Amino acid sequence: MKIDSEHLVILAAVLDGGGVVEGAASIGKSQPSVSRTLALLEARIGEPLFDRTRRPLKPSELCETLAAQGRRVLEAQRAATEALDRHRSGKAG
């Protein structure tokens, strides 16, 4: 099964932000959009990513693993943006 990198980024944002509202805000998305994406991802993989009976949300082991990959995607995006900025400013060829 192929997982969309955007889903991984959303998981990382939610975990690092401490909740859906905070995670959504950190990546410029709405809370309903992020909640919908998480529900779709859970349906696709066939198991919950969070224990929703606990507050704050408690991520499953799988969720933690996928979020770690999301952090790598975010870091790659940042590095690519920095490389482009350096190139455009003439600091790199």
Side-chain angles (χ1 to χ4, degrees):
M1 166 193 314
K2 184 178 177 188
I3 296 178
D4 188 322
S5 61
E6 184 68 17
H7 294 168
L8 300 175
V9 167
I10 288 171
L11 282 174
V14 168
L15 292 187
D16 295 346
V20 176
V21 172
E22 298 84 359
S26 75
I27 56 175
K29 295 195 176 287
S30 70
Q31 177 272 321
S33 170
V34 168
S35 292
R36 203 170 28 256
T37 298
L38 293 175
L40 290 170
L41 182 57
E42 287 179 326
R44 186 165 185 209
I45 64 175
E47 63 182 88
L49 293 169
F50 297 93
D51 177 356
R52 287 180 171 74
T53 63
R54 300 194 45 190
R55 294 285 180 238
L57 292 176
K58 180 174 178 357
S60 68
E61 186 175 327
L62 175 60
C63 183
E64 292 277 5
T65 300
L66 295 176
Q69 297 305 313
R71 290 181 194 99
R72 290 181 177 169
V73 171
L74 283 167
E75 181 54 38
Q77 289 172 339
R78 279 190 216 107
T81 299
E82 288 173 10
L84 179 59
D85 290 345
R86 284 192 309 275
H87 177 76
R88 285 185 173 165
S89 69
K91 294 179 182 174

